Amino acid sequence: MNINKTASTFEAFCGIIARYARERDDFALLVAKDVPDCGALREIPEDKIISSCADAHSAILSAAGLALAGKRPWVLGRAAGLLGGSYQHIREAVAMPSLPVRIVAVDGGLSLAQDGAAGMLPSDIALVRTIPGMNLFVPSDVLSLTGIVEGAETDGAPLYIRLGRAPAPEFENQSGEIFRLGGARILREGADVTICACGIMVSRALEAAERLERQNIGAEVIDCYCLKPFPEQALLSSVRRTGCCVTAEEHCGAGGLFGAAAECLGRTYPVPLRSVSLPDEFISSGTPEELREYYGLTWNEIVDAAAQVWALRRR
């Protein structure tokens, strides 16, 4: 897998959405007051952006109203406030009437680790997965983000996208994958173990696959950019060849990618399965990289988990 360059999915999103703002008459962007500064947002015409004085829950309710009036609004905020503080409004005002409101959260996972447990919401994926009718995306790079946003411009269902502010590697789309609802992309083929990852953990999964190759274990790496609807066929097709699976995510172990994979495999094709994820506890303070190391969100942990499931698979 070749890596072209690195870029923040948050900054990339701001640039993409500024272009749509100029092109679409039904565009509207509501920005919660705590969103980090991004120069591209200042390029959006004044009549298409509702700025930053709005609290997250007010932004959600305003977006629902705009959608009822025929607009196709986007809402941008930080994960803890946008989802944690507005869950009831998202569920009742957006998901129940199935309005075309696109909710985009920055600083999910460990991005705001310096602010301590109150500033982080490492369970946002689990919360969204429990809302009927909500689609859920966690892009790993700018390429997948671009495809997801393009799809959202034509799809009328409510959705949630988790972005990161840290620069992330951009992977070549060698397969010509069209990013879509319920999709996933295979970034590396292998026959011995399946590694299913999302977001920032995709690059760690690829590094783990390189290390496993030195141990003569061929790892198949799946970028699971869509978590709801979950790409069950992509996962099942892989584990029917490898016989085992590891999931890797910057999220708590319950309800996220591991939960989705366990539900799918437990119901359809049980195989040895391990998770590399955050523990079931309130997260400590530190820099994001310090905490990723502390909680084991590293290629090394993925290698260890892969070796365990590979040893347990049926022979």
Side-chain angles (χ1 to χ4, degrees), residues 248-297:
E249 58 190 317
E250 192 171 286
H251 186 270
C252 59
L257 175 58
F258 174 67
E263 292 162 16
C264 170
L265 296 175
R267 184 178 64 251
T268 309
Y269 193 79
V271 295
L273 174 66
R274 292 288 185 275
S275 169
V276 175
S277 58
L278 292 168
D280 182 24
E281 61 185 61
F282 290 110
I283 303 302
S284 302
S285 300
T287 68
E289 280 306 317
E290 286 173 344
L291 293 188
R292 286 176 192 126
E293 188 72 27
Y294 179 78
Y295 289 113
L297 301 185

Side-chain angles (χ1 to χ4, degrees), residues 227-268:
L227 273 78
K228 188 180 179 184
F230 189 67
E232 294 193 354
Q233 290 309 312
L235 176 61
L236 290 170
S237 176
S238 180
V239 299
R240 283 184 174 123
R241 285 182 282 107
T242 64
C244 55
C245 180
V246 173
T247 62
E249 58 190 317
E250 192 171 286
H251 186 270
C252 59
L257 175 58
F258 174 67
E263 292 162 16
C264 170
L265 296 175
R267 184 178 64 251
T268 309

Side-chain angles (χ1 to χ4, degrees), residues 110-126:
L110 299 175
S111 295
L112 280 184
Q114 294 91 333
D115 290 2
M120 293 183 282
L121 187 65
S123 58
D124 57 332
I125 295 173

Side-chain angles (χ1 to χ4, degrees), residues 156-240:
L159 61 82
Y160 177 84
I161 303 174
R162 184 210 262 197
L163 303 179
R165 270 200 288 168
E170 184 172 345
F171 311 113
E172 284 187 357
N173 191 19
Q174 295 174 326
S175 65
E177 168 77 18
I178 298 174
F179 297 93
R180 58 188 170 80
L181 197 63
R185 60 175 169 171
I186 296 176
L187 294 177
R188 180 188 177 106
E189 295 183 343
D192 297 320
V193 60
T194 298
I195 303 176
C196 193
C198 64
I200 195 170
M201 293 303 291
V202 171
S203 61
R204 275 71 170 174
L206 286 167
E207 189 167 356
E210 294 284 347
R211 308 288 175 151
L212 288 164
E213 187 69 32
R214 300 173 192 174
Q215 303 176 33
N216 295 320
I217 299 176
E220 183 153 285
V221 178
I222 301 176
D223 175 10
C224 191
Y225 59 82
C226 183
L227 273 78
K228 188 180 179 184
F230 189 67
E232 294 193 354
Q233 290 309 312
L235 176 61
L236 290 170
S237 176
S238 180
V239 299
R240 283 184 174 123

